[in-house]
Amino acid sequence: MKVLIRICASAGIALGLGALSTAGAWAADLKVGFITSLSGPVSSLGIPYEKGMKAAVAYKSELGGHKIQLVQLDDASDPSTAARNARKMIDEDKVDVIIGTAGSPGALAIAAVARETKTPLISIANANLPGEDGAWMVTLPQPAPLMVSAVVERMKKSGVKTVGYIGFSDAWGDLVYDALQKSAEPAGIKVVSNERYARADTSVTGQVLKIVALRPDAVITGTSGTPGALPYLALAERGYKGQIYGMHALINPDFVRVGGTAVEGLLAPTGPVIVAEQLSADNPIRKVSMDFRAAYQKANGAPPTDAFSAYTFDAWLLFLDAAQRAAATKAEPGTPQFRLALRDAIVATRELVGTHSVYNFKPTDRYGSDERSRVVVKLEKGQWKLDK
């Protein structure tokens, strides 16, 4: 399904009258392509991403008196469809940037199209392509090594010596496992298993039986969304009593609902937005996060309860910030020259405060997050609490 939204706009973020004046002189509209997963196994993430986009538009819907067109497509959780959507948006709609999509495989598929067509991609799924393969993309979700290291620090403090791993049999599962291996060994923790399952699987009994037989002190998963609850349910069924850990890709209400008592006490890293009201008053992320919550409530009629919608919000902030700086080149939206200027502005972003991080990008680094982008939370009676 294709959705075309026109936003009559003026200043998204206050960044200087020179850029705004140039933006007002454009003859063409700015166009943003937004791809997410509204159906299929990744929709438990994709639907929150869409709600985050609604909040973003409600929060800042203007850019120098100029119009922005938002073109939205559903990739149905299929990487091939995500790639086709991206190509359609670029070839037919002439979008200047793509924001998407809900799963790492889909984001990697879009990245290939972005590089070929020289169109900037702001990935809202955790995806990384080194070197020239990823030259036209940046990634907003925190990198797996940064988040895994926070979990490993907690494991070490708790005296964990052995940990079992189970993750998706895709790029995200690989990212988490590789990061765990690199962080665990220096901390004196042995990774005793590397079990995998597909996102669409309905049972992980065999994998969990193998893990339980190894008697690890703790278990961590490299999963996301609703399908990420399967290992915890299976561990609870087998009476596993060790500490359970997860990743930031699990922070959504469907995971909590499906996991129920099996995920009680789960420790996971996440962006500060999840516990914004528990942050110190001088933390700059707190204010933007609270603004996001207000915009989300206005746009969706309910408060946010997930981490994913905030990534889309941050992607919109990044786009607005970069578009204003790209305007100084006087290139016209819809042209290769403007897409290049926008890409260069995105990767030159410095100290942009979002809900998940204070973003700093480099041309050679896909990720813009640092230690300020992570906290560890614990699930207590269905609510995420800051683990101090």
Side-chain angles (χ1 to χ4, degrees):
M1 181 178 67
K2 182 176 179 179
V3 179
L4 178 62
I5 304 170
R6 269 200 149 173
I7 308 163
C8 293
S10 97
I13 316 170
L15 286 177
L17 297 176
L20 296 178
S21 175
T22 304
W26 283 331
D29 292 348
L30 280 164
K31 290 186 179 180
V32 177
F34 175 49
I35 302 171
T36 189
S37 304
L38 299 179
S39 54
V42 194
S43 61
S44 66
L45 312 183
I47 292 171
Y49 279 134
E50 183 191 40
K51 291 181 177 179
M53 182 58 77
K54 291 178 181 178
V57 172
Y59 177 63
K60 295 288 184 184
S61 63
E62 299 182 341
L63 186 61
H66 210 69
K67 294 176 181 178
I68 302 173
Q69 292 185 27
L70 181 67
V71 182
Q72 179 178 324
L73 288 172
D74 174 19
D75 64 18
S77 302
D78 177 54
S80 297
T81 303
R84 287 195 299 271
N85 285 350
R87 195 172 296 280
K88 179 179 176 64
M89 288 176 167
I90 295 163
D91 292 343
E92 298 180 15
D93 298 299
K94 308 299 181 185
V95 299
D96 297 298
V97 63
I98 291 178
I99 296 173
T101 182
S104 298
L108 291 171
I110 296 172
V113 178
R115 183 201 172 192
E116 178 190 335
T117 59
K118 294 181 168 54
T119 304
L121 165 64
I122 302 175
S123 177
I124 49 176
N126 209 310
N128 179 32
L129 286 173
E132 284 301 309
D133 287 342
W136 284 82
M137 72 181 294
V138 295
T139 298
L140 294 193
Q142 301 87 334
L146 180 68
M147 302 305 255
V148 168
S149 64
V151 174
V152 169
E153 288 171 11
R154 288 297 192 281
M155 288 182 184
K156 186 175 181 179
K157 288 180 181 178
S158 299
V160 171
K161 297 298 182 183
T162 57
V163 59
Y165 177 78
I166 178 170
F168 287 149
S169 52
D170 61 20
W172 178 233
D174 293 342
L175 282 170
V176 178
Y177 180 73
D178 292 345
L180 179 63
Q181 286 279 67
K182 292 175 181 176
S183 292
E185 185 176 353
I189 299 172
K190 184 179 180 180
V191 182
V192 298
S193 69
N194 181 15
E195 298 296 327
R196 302 301 185 96
Y197 69 101
R199 292 174 186 256
D201 286 352
T202 58
S203 173
V204 291
T205 300
Q207 296 93 318
V208 165
L209 284 172
K210 293 178 184 177
I211 292 174
V212 172
L214 295 169
R215 298 174 175 254
D217 298 329
V219 173
I220 184 172
T221 68
T223 60
S224 64
T226 307
L230 271 180
Y232 302 104
L233 292 167
L235 286 166
E237 289 173 0
R238 299 298 176 276
Y240 181 73
K241 300 298 182 183
Q243 179 62 53
I244 50 175
Y245 296 87
M247 291 297 290
H248 48 312
L250 293 175
I251 312 294
N252 83 349
D254 281 344
F255 168 78
V256 176
R257 174 182 57 80
V258 173
T261 58
V263 294
E264 180 72 12
L266 173 75
L267 287 163
T270 188
V273 62
I274 290 299
V275 288
E277 74 286 350
Q278 301 174 47
L279 301 176
S280 62
D282 60 351
N283 188 323
I285 294 177
R286 178 188 173 111
K287 181 184 184 307
V288 178
S289 294
M290 298 308 289
D291 288 345
F292 157 69
R293 290 187 180 186
Y296 187 101
Q297 177 77 46
K298 177 181 177 182
N300 297 291
T305 55
D306 66 277
F308 300 96
S309 53
Y311 287 123
T312 320
F313 188 84
D314 284 0
W316 188 254
L317 295 183
L318 176 59
F319 156 68
L320 291 173
D321 173 70
Q324 291 182 95
R325 287 181 285 116
T329 67
K330 300 185 179 180
E332 278 288 314
T335 65
Q337 293 80 8
F338 184 77
R339 292 197 296 271
L340 175 60
L342 185 58
R343 190 282 303 265
D344 289 347
I346 289 171
V347 298
T349 297
R350 298 290 179 271
E351 293 296 294
L352 177 68
V353 181
T355 64
H356 275 281
S357 184
V358 179
Y359 295 101
N360 290 276
F361 291 100
K362 300 176 183 177
T364 56
D365 187 359
R366 311 293 164 247
Y367 295 97
S369 300
D370 56 28
E371 284 76 9
R372 293 174 290 182
S373 70
R374 66 182 193 183
V375 295
V376 175
V377 295
K378 187 174 185 178
L379 192 58
E380 297 179 355
K381 297 180 179 179
Q383 300 295 318
W384 297 106
K385 304 294 184 181
L386 184 63
D387 182 51
K388 299 179 180 180

